[in-house]
């Protein structure tokens, strides 16, 4: 049986707690419905709170935004997140859109598994997918989806009817490259749900941070970034919930620091952006066990509530 991490003050897999969570060593898997969070209002569920290392015993980066019991937005799909998606009780057919921060494996590795699962659901409307443009080292969002599902050369070309315009019989994925800058750009707006992005610096990897607004609530996802530039502060301004990636400890140097922001930078950004609540995710072997130090660095700069995420945690957005 999988070890469940104990959560802080937040509701983890809210309804599910009522029975199974109180019984250590419970001998059954709860039904999907029993686990879904956010039956009322807006809730963010952490599908993956880890980084790329499997030894952290966490799924890699992935988040779901729920509204009134519907899973509306999926942000990233790192390894392990497809299983967590199933455990969350969400349906692929509920999603309004998928957002990618970038295409490192720990943010995209389970995408194909999620799409394959959707095959068995009844979905008619298109599925918009937004993410960064490419460069010499990384595919663009359109390339990434096409490399997997393209009719001619896609690794999973047997599923190309989910992408190829001419083929009938299924819904279509609609991938888009987002040319973002340090000024937030709105890329999606429909039915009271909107998504906007800024470019963030993640060493040489094209990467985006995302702001999702729905039900009058604002959630911002830093994705992976070293925190350089003004974009993330602008994007996160006055957010109700800011999910930042705690991938390196204070004092990190070299490549680690070129890729990721240490706690002091997270605290600075949270403070400047006046976010109401901070959640730390993308926890790695090098930051796990250093929570006290991390919290202390953040508290020097940011006075709001700070919580460390675990897989399947639900954060109601107040
Ligand atoms: Zn990552």
């Amino acid at each position: 049986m999988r070890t469940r991490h104990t959560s802080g003050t937040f509701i983890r897999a809210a309804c599910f707690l009522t029975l199974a969570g109180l019984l250590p060593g419970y001998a059954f898997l709860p039904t999907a419905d029993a686990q879904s969070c956010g039956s009322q209002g807006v809730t963010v569920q952490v599908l993956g709170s880890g980084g790329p290392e499997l030894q952290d015993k966490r799924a890699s980066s992935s988040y779901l935004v729920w509204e009134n019991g519907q899973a509306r937005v999926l942000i990233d799909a790192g390894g392990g997140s497809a299983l967590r998606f199933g455990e969350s009780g969400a349906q692929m057919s509920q999603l309004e859109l998928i957002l990618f921060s970038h295409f490192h494996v720990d943010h995209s590795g389970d995408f194909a598994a999620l799409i394959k699962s959707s095959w068995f659901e009844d979905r008619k409307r298109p599925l918009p997918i937004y993410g960064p443009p490419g460069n010499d080292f990384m595919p663009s969002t359109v390339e990434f989806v096409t490399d997997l599902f393209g009719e001619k050369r896609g690794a999973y070309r047997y599923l190309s009817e989910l992408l190829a315009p001419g083929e009938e019989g299924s819904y279509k994925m609609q991938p888009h490259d987002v040319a973002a800058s340090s000024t937030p750009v709105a890329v999606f707006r429909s039915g009271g749900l909107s998504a906007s992005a800024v470019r963030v610096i993640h060493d040489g990897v094209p990467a985006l941070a995302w702001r999702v607004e729905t039900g009058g609530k604002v959630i911002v996802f830093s994705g992976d970034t070293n925190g350089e530039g003004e974009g993330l502060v602008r994007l996160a301004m006055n957010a109700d919930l800011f999910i930042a990636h705690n991938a390196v400890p204070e004092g990190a140097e070299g490549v680690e620091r070129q890729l990721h922001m240490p706690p002091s930078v997270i605290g600075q950004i949270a403070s400047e952006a006046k976010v109401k609540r901070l959640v730390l995710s993308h926890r790695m072997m090098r930051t796990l066990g250093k929570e006290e130090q991390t919290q202390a660095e953040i508290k020097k700069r940011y006075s709001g509530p700070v919580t460390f995420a675990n897989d399947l945690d639900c954060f109601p957005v107040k």
Side-chain angles (χ1 to χ4, degrees):
M1 185 180 300
R2 177 168 66 80
T3 303
R4 302 188 72 90
H5 304 278
T6 49
S7 171
T9 54
F10 285 89
I11 301 168
R12 104 191 301 282
C15 313
F16 160 66
L17 265 180
T18 52
L19 181 58
L22 297 174
L23 301 171
Y26 61 91
F28 59 91
L29 281 174
T31 64
D33 281 354
Q35 290 193 57
S36 61
C37 66
S39 59
Q40 285 202 323
V42 177
T43 301
V44 176
Q45 185 162 30
V46 178
L47 297 183
S49 61
E53 302 149 295
L54 303 176
Q55 290 73 22
D56 63 22
K57 298 184 176 61
R58 294 159 185 269
S60 301
S61 217
S62 186
Y63 308 98
L64 260 186
V65 177
W66 290 88
E67 185 172 3
N68 298 331
Q70 298 285 307
R72 300 197 82 188
V73 187
L74 176 72
I75 298 94
D76 282 350
S81 63
L83 174 60
R84 295 284 186 263
F85 188 95
E87 290 173 321
S88 80
Q91 301 277 324
M92 286 294 288
S93 54
Q94 296 170 336
L95 293 180
E96 305 285 338
L97 72 164
I98 295 179
L99 306 174
F100 279 107
S101 64
H102 64 294
F103 291 106
H104 276 154
V105 172
D106 59 317
H107 296 256
S108 61
D110 265 11
F111 175 66
L114 286 159
I115 294 300
K116 175 57 190 175
S117 180
S118 77
W119 183 269
F120 298 93
E121 295 180 26
D122 185 24
R123 183 185 182 104
K124 299 280 185 293
R125 67 211 157 103
L127 178 56
I129 300 164
Y130 294 90
N135 64 11
D136 286 349
F137 305 102
M138 300 298 287
S140 71
T141 304
V142 172
E143 283 173 332
F144 177 77
V145 175
T146 307
D147 287 352
L148 290 172
F149 298 105
E151 217 171 354
K152 298 259 181 328
R153 309 288 311 162
Y156 302 116
R157 69 193 80 140
Y158 79 106
L159 296 173
S160 67
E161 74 174 62
L162 289 159
L163 186 62
E167 295 189 37
E168 290 184 8
S170 71
Y171 80 90
K172 304 293 178 198
M173 288 182 272
Q174 292 179 333
H176 304 274
D177 300 339
V178 176
S181 67
S182 59
T183 304
V185 56
V187 300
F188 180 91
R189 188 181 297 276
S190 174
L193 168 69
S194 69
S196 48
V198 293
R199 187 174 76 93
V200 290
I201 308 301
H202 185 39
D203 202 4
V205 178
L208 303 174
W210 284 103
R211 178 181 178 108
V212 173
E213 301 189 31
T214 192
K217 306 296 180 196
V218 177
I219 308 123
V220 171
F221 303 86
S222 73
D224 286 359
T225 176
N226 63 15
E228 279 173 25
E230 295 302 307
L232 188 50
V233 170
R234 289 182 190 146
L235 190 77
M237 193 55 71
N238 298 316
D240 296 298
L241 181 61
F242 178 43
I243 300 190
H245 284 183
N246 180 214
V248 295
E250 200 62 31
E253 294 175 342
V255 175
E256 289 180 11
R257 181 65 187 87
Q258 286 162 31
L259 287 162
H260 296 291
M261 50 188 175
S264 56
V265 174
I266 295 174
Q268 187 67 31
I269 290 171
S271 167
E272 286 178 29
K274 303 181 181 67
V275 303
K276 299 200 181 79
R277 183 173 297 277
L278 172 63
V279 168
L280 299 172
S281 190
H282 204 292
R283 305 170 65 188
M284 294 179 60
M285 301 306 281
R286 57 202 181 198
T287 52
L288 287 163
K290 297 200 171 109
E291 288 75 11
E292 250 177 66
Q293 181 203 22
T294 298
Q295 186 118 1
E297 285 297 336
I298 288 172
K299 291 278 180 196
K300 286 180 198 168
R301 295 156 184 91
Y302 173 69
S303 55
V306 181
T307 310
F308 291 90
N310 295 310
D311 286 14
L312 293 177
D313 276 357
C314 291
F315 296 93
V317 187
K318 308 262 197 253

